[in-house]
Amino acid sequence: MEKYKPQRIEKKWQKFWIKSKVFEPNLKTAKNPFYNLMMFPYPSAEGLHIGNMYAFTGSDIYGKFKKIQGYDLFEPMGLDGFGIHSENFALKIGKHPMDLSKITEKNFYKQLHSIGNSFSWSDKIETYNPKYYKWTQWLFLQLYKNGLAYQKEAPVNWCPKCKTVLSDEQSIQGECERCSSKIQKKFLKQWFLKITKYSEKLLENLDKIDWSEKVKLAQKNWIGKSEGTLIKFPIYNSSSDFYKNLISPSRYSSNIATDNLQFTIEVFTTRIDTIFGVTFLAISPNHKLIKNGALEISNEAKKYVEDFNKNSDDDSEKTGIFSGLYAINPANQNKNPVWITNYVLETYGTGAVMGVPAHDQRDFEFAKKYNLAIKEVIFPRPPFKKEVNKAFEAPGIMINSGEFNGLRSEEALIKVLKFLQGKNIAEKFLTYHLRDWLISRQRYWGTPIPIIYCKNCGVVPVPEKDLPVKLPYVKNFKPLETDKSPLANESKFYKTRCPKCKREARRETDVCDTFLDSSWYYLGYLVVNQNLKLKTKNENLKWDKNVIKKWLPVNMYIGGAEHSVLHLMYSRFIAMALYDFGLIHFDEPFKKFRAHGLLIREGAKMSKSKGNIVTPDDYIKKYGADTIRMYLMFLGPFDQGGNFQDKSILGIYRFLNRVWQLVKNSKFEIKANTEIEKIMHQTIQKVSDDIENLKYNTAISQLMIYQNQLSINNGQFAIENIKVLLLLLAPFAPHICEQLWQFLQNKKSRSIFQEKWPKYDPEIIEEKKFTLIIQINGKVRDQIETNLNLQEPQIKKIALESEKIKKWIAGQQIKKTIYIKNKLINFVI
Ligand code: ANZ
Ligand code: ZN
C-alpha cells in the first residue's frame, strides 16, 4: 500500500490551489464575501518564525472553515517591511535595506507558500513598494487637507539608540519599544496626527465591536478618559500690584472675582473633595504661562526650566523648585507656594496640579522630599486604613474642611464642586490620556512625508498627481547623530521646486512611522493591485467603491495582543477619519478581532538573544506542513498560546498516518452503522462549534476520537462517514485531506474546499431521557432519570443500584418484576 509521504503531496496541492484559483475570489463579482485577515509580518531575513506560523495557521483554519461553509473567502497576505525593525536588521548585517528587502521578500513568500494557507496571492502587497506607499502618502495628504495632520514643536520621546523620535505608544514606561533604551526628551518640530479628535468615539465604539475583551480594556485604559474639575487659583508675587494692595493674604476675600486678577493658574483634579488639603501648587516646567514669560518666576526657577528642557535625563526621580510665587486656595484663602516640577506632565489636564500630599501618593513623595506641609482632610472609614508613610487615597469622612466636615468624601465631591461652581471658579471637565500621534521619524527606511517647504508659500503639500515621492536609493542610509533623517544630506532628494510658485524649495526629509503604513493595509489589499487594473491607473488614485463596499469592514481579524494600543488603535482612528471624509462607508475597520496566545519554546519566550527561535522550514521538511499545523493548534487553546516541544510532534504525525491508512484500506459498506452515525454527528457538531470559537485543540481531540471509532470498525462503514472526517479535518490538514478526497473520487474532481461543510442531525445526537418510576410492591419508592428505549435487564440493573431501593429490598427475595417500557419498573418482594 502507498505510504503517507507529505513531501510528495504538499507542493502538488499548493500549486493546484493557485492554478485553479480556489482561494482567489473575484473581488468585483464575489457573491458571498468573507474577509479573513491576519496581521501581516515584518519580514526579517531570518525568515518566518514559528510564532508567525502559529498565528497564521490559527487564522487560516477559520478562513478555510468559512470557505467550505460556502463563503467567497478572501485571505490576503503581504509584508510590513518598511520601518525601523527592518532597517535595524539591515544595519546589523551590513546590507542596504532596499537590497535586503528583495532577498527577504523572496524567502518569506516561499515560506508562506509552504505552510498551506489559503492566501489570495494576486493581491499581495509590500509596504515598501512605491505602488503601495504612494497610497500611504495619499492618505497623509487627505489627513493634512482635513486638518488632521499638523506640525508642532513639542517635547518628544527620543531614542538615542534608534536615533529617532517615537510615539507615546512606542515608549513603554520610558523605554524604547524596540531596543529598550532609556528614552530621552527633545524639543523638536514634528508631524502629528490628530487622533485625539476621536478620543470619545474610539472609546464609545468599543461597545459595538466584537473584539477580545483584553484588547478592548487595553484601549480603554490607554484612552484614559478622566472626569474631574477645573479650578482657578489666583497667583501673586511680591512685585505685582495685586500683592502690594493686599495688607495680608488673609484679607483676600473669595468674593473678589478671580477674573480681575492678573493671573490665575487653572488645575485639573479628580478629587475636588480634597481641596482643603492643598499645601502647594505644582506646575510643569513647560506650562504655557512659563513659556510665554507671563509668570515672573525666580532666577533659580528659570535655570531649572532651562535645564529641564536641555537635559535629557530621566524623569523617574521627582525634582522641583519653588517658583517664588504663591497661589491662593479659592476654598479657604490659604496661601500656597507654587512649585515647578518634572512630575507634572505638560500635556495632561492643564499642566498644573493642586498638591494634596495627604491624599495623593505622588504629592506625598514630593512634599516629603522638599519638606512641604501635609494636611489631612479625609479621615479613613472602615474597611480602609491609613498606612504609615503613605498618602491615604481612599474615600472617607471629611475633616479640616470647614462647612463640609463630617460628610462622606464621595458626597463632598459633588457639594464642593457646586460650592465652587457657584463662585465661578470651578467647572466640570473631561480629559483623556490619549495624545496625538507623532509620526515623523528621522530615519531612512520609510515612507517619505509628502510635504514641501517653500520660502514664499510656506508648507505646501505635494500634489496628488506627483505621488509617489519616491524614496531614493542612497548610500548613506545610516541614522545620523543629529536630529535629522539621512535624507537631509541628499540634495538630489530634498532639492525641488515649489508646486505653487515653482521657485526652489525643500522637501520634508523625515519619513513616516511604519504604523502609518499598516494603519490602512486591510484597504490596501483591495485597492493597490486593483487600482493598477483601472483605466485611470496612476492618475488620481481612484478606488473601486463597490469593491470596498463588498468586502469591508473585515469580517474576522486575528493577531497579537501586543498591538492593542498601537496598530489596532491607529487603524481604528484612520478608518474614522476616512469615514468622516466621505471616502469609506464604515467607521470601524474590523468587525471581529481575536487575539491569539503566545507560543513559547520549552517553557521560555522565544527570542534572538536566547537563541531559541524556531523556523518552521526543517520541521515542515521532515513531517510536512499538515503535521506542524495540527501540532501547533493542538498545544492548547488558541487564545492561550502553547509550549513548543519537538518530541510531541510525532503523535500528530501518527494520527495523520492512521487517517491515511483508514482511507486507503477501507472497503466501504453501503449501509451506515448506527454507532458510527452517532459519533459522526456529534463530531460534526463539536468541530463546527469549536472552530467557530477558535478552540482548535478540542476540535482536534474530537477528530481523533472519531478516527479511532472508524479504525476500530475496520472498514465496516459507509463512504460518507470517511468523507465527513476529511471535510472536518481539511481546515487543519489541508494537503492530506485534498489528496485523500481526490483519491476517493476516482476521477479528477474539484477541490475539497469547494465542497459543502457537513450538517449534523440534532435528533441523532440527542440522547433522549425519561424519568423511570421504581415501585416496590406497587408503591413508588424512587424516581431516576435515565435513557429511553433500554431493555429490561439494563433497567433492572439501574433500579437495583439505587440506594433507596437497596434499603427497601435489604436482602429480601424479589419474587416478580413487572416492567413497562419507558415508564416504570415494579418489584414484588
Ligand atoms: C488633586 C488630587 C488629590 C488628585 C488627590 C488626586 C488625588 P487621572 O485620574 O489619571 O485623570 N494630575 C492632573 N494633571 C496632571 C498633570 N498634568 N500631570 C500629573 N498629574 C496630574 O488623574 C487625575 C489626577 O492627576 C488629578 O487629581 C491630579 O491630582 C493629577 F487626593 O488633584 B489630583
Ligand atoms: Zn512656493
Side-chain angles (χ1 to χ4, degrees), residues 46 54 91 104 132 156 161 166 230 253 267 345 385 425 433 512 526 564 566 604 637 695 785:
E46 291 129 339
Y54 177 76
L91 284 165
T104 52
Y132 182 90
V156 294
K161 187 145 176 256
L166 301 172
L230 290 182
S253 138
V267 307
L345 306 169
K385 267 199 216 117
I425 35 187
H433 279 276
C512 298
L526 296 169
S564 299
L566 290 154
K695 291 185 183 144
E785 181 97 1

mmCIF file of all heavy atoms in Angstrom, residues 46 54 91 104 132 156 161 166 230 253 267 345 385 425 433 512 526 564 566 604 637 695 785:
data_model
loop_
_atom_site.group_PDB
_atom_site.id
_atom_site.type_symbol
_atom_site.label_atom_id
_atom_site.label_comp_id
_atom_site.label_asym_id
_atom_site.label_seq_id
_atom_site.Cartn_x
_atom_site.Cartn_y
_atom_site.Cartn_z
ATOM 1 N N GLU A 46 15.870 36.491 8.867
ATOM 2 C CA GLU A 46 15.921 35.153 9.476
ATOM 3 C C GLU A 46 14.755 34.314 8.993
ATOM 4 O O GLU A 46 14.736 33.110 9.185
ATOM 5 C CB GLU A 46 15.832 35.248 10.992
ATOM 6 C CG GLU A 46 17.050 35.845 11.621
ATOM 7 C CD GLU A 46 16.696 36.969 12.555
ATOM 8 O OE1 GLU A 46 15.598 37.541 12.425
ATOM 9 O OE2 GLU A 46 17.540 37.293 13.399
ATOM 10 N N TYR A 54 2.263 29.902 13.762
ATOM 11 C CA TYR A 54 1.231 29.616 14.755
ATOM 12 C C TYR A 54 0.022 30.533 14.539
ATOM 13 O O TYR A 54 -1.119 30.083 14.439
ATOM 14 C CB TYR A 54 1.814 29.824 16.152
ATOM 15 C CG TYR A 54 0.844 29.627 17.282
ATOM 16 C CD1 TYR A 54 0.460 28.342 17.668
ATOM 17 C CD2 TYR A 54 0.319 30.713 17.978
ATOM 18 C CE1 TYR A 54 -0.429 28.157 18.715
ATOM 19 C CE2 TYR A 54 -0.570 30.528 19.026
ATOM 20 C CZ TYR A 54 -0.936 29.246 19.389
ATOM 21 O OH TYR A 54 -1.822 29.069 20.429
ATOM 22 N N LEU A 91 21.092 47.101 9.024
ATOM 23 C CA LEU A 91 22.296 47.715 9.594
ATOM 24 C C LEU A 91 23.167 46.661 10.264
ATOM 25 O O LEU A 91 24.383 46.655 10.119
ATOM 26 C CB LEU A 91 21.896 48.780 10.627
ATOM 27 C CG LEU A 91 21.394 50.101 10.041
ATOM 28 C CD1 LEU A 91 20.696 50.921 11.116
ATOM 29 C CD2 LEU A 91 22.550 50.894 9.439
ATOM 30 N N THR A 104 14.738 39.156 1.391
ATOM 31 C CA THR A 104 13.825 38.651 2.413
ATOM 32 C C THR A 104 12.442 38.383 1.812
ATOM 33 O O THR A 104 11.773 37.435 2.185
ATOM 34 C CB THR A 104 13.664 39.633 3.582
ATOM 35 O OG1 THR A 104 13.333 40.908 3.065
ATOM 36 C CG2 THR A 104 14.931 39.741 4.372
ATOM 37 N N TYR A 132 2.589 50.825 -3.302
ATOM 38 C CA TYR A 132 1.860 50.818 -2.032
ATOM 39 C C TYR A 132 2.003 52.159 -1.317
ATOM 40 O O TYR A 132 1.016 52.792 -0.945
ATOM 41 C CB TYR A 132 2.355 49.691 -1.111
ATOM 42 C CG TYR A 132 1.597 49.625 0.208
ATOM 43 C CD1 TYR A 132 0.459 48.839 0.330
ATOM 44 C CD2 TYR A 132 1.987 50.371 1.315
ATOM 45 C CE1 TYR A 132 -0.260 48.789 1.519
ATOM 46 C CE2 TYR A 132 1.280 50.336 2.509
ATOM 47 C CZ TYR A 132 0.150 49.540 2.609
ATOM 48 O OH TYR A 132 -0.559 49.505 3.790
ATOM 49 N N VAL A 156 9.487 65.683 22.762
ATOM 50 C CA VAL A 156 9.164 64.381 22.172
ATOM 51 C C VAL A 156 10.077 63.308 22.742
ATOM 52 O O VAL A 156 11.139 63.589 23.297
ATOM 53 C CB VAL A 156 9.286 64.423 20.637
ATOM 54 C CG1 VAL A 156 8.239 65.340 20.040
ATOM 55 C CG2 VAL A 156 10.673 64.860 20.214
ATOM 56 N N LYS A 161 19.400 55.249 20.795
ATOM 57 C CA LYS A 161 19.983 54.134 20.052
ATOM 58 C C LYS A 161 19.379 54.062 18.650
ATOM 59 O O LYS A 161 20.085 53.914 17.662
ATOM 60 C CB LYS A 161 19.746 52.828 20.819
ATOM 61 C CG LYS A 161 20.455 51.647 20.223
ATOM 62 C CD LYS A 161 20.950 50.663 21.287
ATOM 63 C CE LYS A 161 21.568 49.456 20.625
ATOM 64 N NZ LYS A 161 20.676 48.267 20.664
ATOM 65 N N LEU A 166 9.935 58.789 18.846
ATOM 66 C CA LEU A 166 8.964 57.700 18.922
ATOM 67 C C LEU A 166 7.620 58.273 19.340
ATOM 68 O O LEU A 166 7.558 59.359 19.915
ATOM 69 C CB LEU A 166 9.413 56.675 19.973
ATOM 70 C CG LEU A 166 10.777 56.031 19.760
ATOM 71 C CD1 LEU A 166 11.152 55.210 20.980
ATOM 72 C CD2 LEU A 166 10.757 55.136 18.525
ATOM 73 N N LEU A 230 -12.006 71.590 36.779
ATOM 74 C CA LEU A 230 -11.003 72.639 36.593
ATOM 75 C C LEU A 230 -11.251 73.700 37.647
ATOM 76 O O LEU A 230 -12.389 74.137 37.835
ATOM 77 C CB LEU A 230 -11.151 73.289 35.222
ATOM 78 C CG LEU A 230 -10.793 72.503 33.973
ATOM 79 C CD1 LEU A 230 -10.972 73.399 32.743
ATOM 80 C CD2 LEU A 230 -9.374 71.983 34.039
ATOM 81 N N SER A 253 -10.349 88.205 49.796
ATOM 82 C CA SER A 253 -11.648 87.596 50.027
ATOM 83 C C SER A 253 -12.074 86.800 48.806
ATOM 84 O O SER A 253 -11.798 87.172 47.665
ATOM 85 C CB SER A 253 -12.664 88.700 50.317
ATOM 86 O OG SER A 253 -13.861 88.410 49.647
ATOM 87 N N VAL A 267 -6.026 74.356 37.522
ATOM 88 C CA VAL A 267 -5.565 72.979 37.719
ATOM 89 C C VAL A 267 -6.701 72.022 37.380
ATOM 90 O O VAL A 267 -7.877 72.396 37.402
ATOM 91 C CB VAL A 267 -5.094 72.707 39.169
ATOM 92 C CG1 VAL A 267 -4.058 73.726 39.600
ATOM 93 C CG2 VAL A 267 -6.263 72.690 40.134
ATOM 94 N N LEU A 345 2.885 66.586 34.094
ATOM 95 C CA LEU A 345 3.014 66.495 32.639
ATOM 96 C C LEU A 345 2.453 67.745 31.988
ATOM 97 O O LEU A 345 1.374 68.205 32.344
ATOM 98 C CB LEU A 345 2.232 65.278 32.123
ATOM 99 C CG LEU A 345 2.572 63.947 32.782
ATOM 100 C CD1 LEU A 345 1.546 62.893 32.377
ATOM 101 C CD2 LEU A 345 3.968 63.513 32.371
ATOM 102 N N LYS A 385 -7.757 51.825 55.725
ATOM 103 C CA LYS A 385 -6.891 52.209 56.838
ATOM 104 C C LYS A 385 -5.781 53.096 56.322
ATOM 105 O O LYS A 385 -5.360 52.969 55.195
ATOM 106 C CB LYS A 385 -6.252 50.939 57.436
ATOM 107 C CG LYS A 385 -7.023 50.360 58.585
ATOM 108 C CD LYS A 385 -6.095 49.434 59.380
ATOM 109 C CE LYS A 385 -6.873 48.234 59.904
ATOM 110 N NZ LYS A 385 -6.431 46.960 59.373
ATOM 111 N N ILE A 425 -15.498 79.725 39.953
ATOM 112 C CA ILE A 425 -14.073 79.429 39.870
ATOM 113 C C ILE A 425 -13.807 77.968 39.537
ATOM 114 O O ILE A 425 -12.671 77.564 39.430
ATOM 115 C CB ILE A 425 -13.305 79.798 41.160
ATOM 116 C CG1 ILE A 425 -14.186 79.556 42.372
ATOM 117 C CG2 ILE A 425 -12.776 81.219 41.105
ATOM 118 C CD1 ILE A 425 -13.577 80.035 43.652
ATOM 119 N N HIS A 433 -6.149 60.680 28.421
ATOM 120 C CA HIS A 433 -4.699 60.453 28.420
ATOM 121 C C HIS A 433 -4.140 60.344 26.998
ATOM 122 O O HIS A 433 -2.965 60.589 26.776
ATOM 123 C CB HIS A 433 -4.342 59.181 29.197
ATOM 124 C CG HIS A 433 -4.298 59.400 30.672
ATOM 125 N ND1 HIS A 433 -3.185 59.888 31.303
ATOM 126 C CD2 HIS A 433 -5.246 59.237 31.630
ATOM 127 C CE1 HIS A 433 -3.443 60.003 32.598
ATOM 128 N NE2 HIS A 433 -4.680 59.619 32.818
ATOM 129 N N CYS A 512 7.647 58.586 7.473
ATOM 130 C CA CYS A 512 6.508 58.282 8.356
ATOM 131 C C CYS A 512 6.813 57.086 9.245
ATOM 132 O O CYS A 512 7.493 56.145 8.842
ATOM 133 C CB CYS A 512 5.277 57.908 7.534
ATOM 134 S SG CYS A 512 4.678 59.174 6.447
ATOM 135 N N LEU A 526 -7.288 45.639 -1.149
ATOM 136 C CA LEU A 526 -8.412 45.774 -2.081
ATOM 137 C C LEU A 526 -8.182 46.881 -3.097
ATOM 138 O O LEU A 526 -8.930 47.018 -4.050
ATOM 139 C CB LEU A 526 -9.688 46.089 -1.293
ATOM 140 C CG LEU A 526 -10.168 45.011 -0.334
ATOM 141 C CD1 LEU A 526 -11.259 45.547 0.576
ATOM 142 C CD2 LEU A 526 -10.678 43.792 -1.090
ATOM 143 N N SER A 564 -2.356 46.095 20.724
ATOM 144 C CA SER A 564 -3.622 46.643 21.223
ATOM 145 C C SER A 564 -3.725 48.153 21.100
ATOM 146 O O SER A 564 -4.734 48.671 20.665
ATOM 147 C CB SER A 564 -3.808 46.273 22.689
ATOM 148 O OG SER A 564 -3.852 44.883 22.826
ATOM 149 N N LEU A 566 -1.306 50.124 19.630
ATOM 150 C CA LEU A 566 -0.551 50.672 18.510
ATOM 151 C C LEU A 566 -1.394 50.469 17.263
ATOM 152 O O LEU A 566 -2.334 51.207 17.006
ATOM 153 C CB LEU A 566 0.803 49.965 18.405
ATOM 154 C CG LEU A 566 1.789 50.294 19.534
ATOM 155 C CD1 LEU A 566 2.783 49.192 19.751
ATOM 156 C CD2 LEU A 566 2.520 51.586 19.200
ATOM 157 N N ALA A 604 10.222 28.736 27.686
ATOM 158 C CA ALA A 604 10.805 30.081 27.660
ATOM 159 C C ALA A 604 10.315 30.857 26.456
ATOM 160 O O ALA A 604 9.975 30.276 25.422
ATOM 161 C CB ALA A 604 12.326 29.983 27.630
ATOM 162 N N PRO A 637 -5.532 25.955 23.964
ATOM 163 C CA PRO A 637 -6.499 26.880 23.358
ATOM 164 C C PRO A 637 -5.741 27.982 22.602
ATOM 165 O O PRO A 637 -4.733 28.498 23.096
ATOM 166 C CB PRO A 637 -7.241 27.454 24.556
ATOM 167 C CG PRO A 637 -6.972 26.520 25.683
ATOM 168 C CD PRO A 637 -5.647 25.884 25.420
ATOM 169 N N LYS A 695 -11.480 27.135 19.253
ATOM 170 C CA LYS A 695 -10.989 26.124 20.206
ATOM 171 C C LYS A 695 -10.476 24.940 19.410
ATOM 172 O O LYS A 695 -11.082 23.856 19.390
ATOM 173 C CB LYS A 695 -12.110 25.702 21.148
ATOM 174 C CG LYS A 695 -12.485 26.810 22.097
ATOM 175 C CD LYS A 695 -13.512 26.313 23.092
ATOM 176 C CE LYS A 695 -13.951 27.427 24.002
ATOM 177 N NZ LYS A 695 -15.382 27.302 24.325
ATOM 178 N N GLU A 785 -33.679 9.496 36.548
ATOM 179 C CA GLU A 785 -33.557 9.967 35.164
ATOM 180 C C GLU A 785 -32.671 8.981 34.398
ATOM 181 O O GLU A 785 -31.538 8.699 34.800
ATOM 182 C CB GLU A 785 -32.891 11.344 35.184
ATOM 183 C CG GLU A 785 -32.714 11.989 33.851
ATOM 184 C CD GLU A 785 -33.835 12.975 33.533
ATOM 185 O OE1 GLU A 785 -34.740 13.150 34.387
ATOM 186 O OE2 GLU A 785 -33.807 13.529 32.446
#
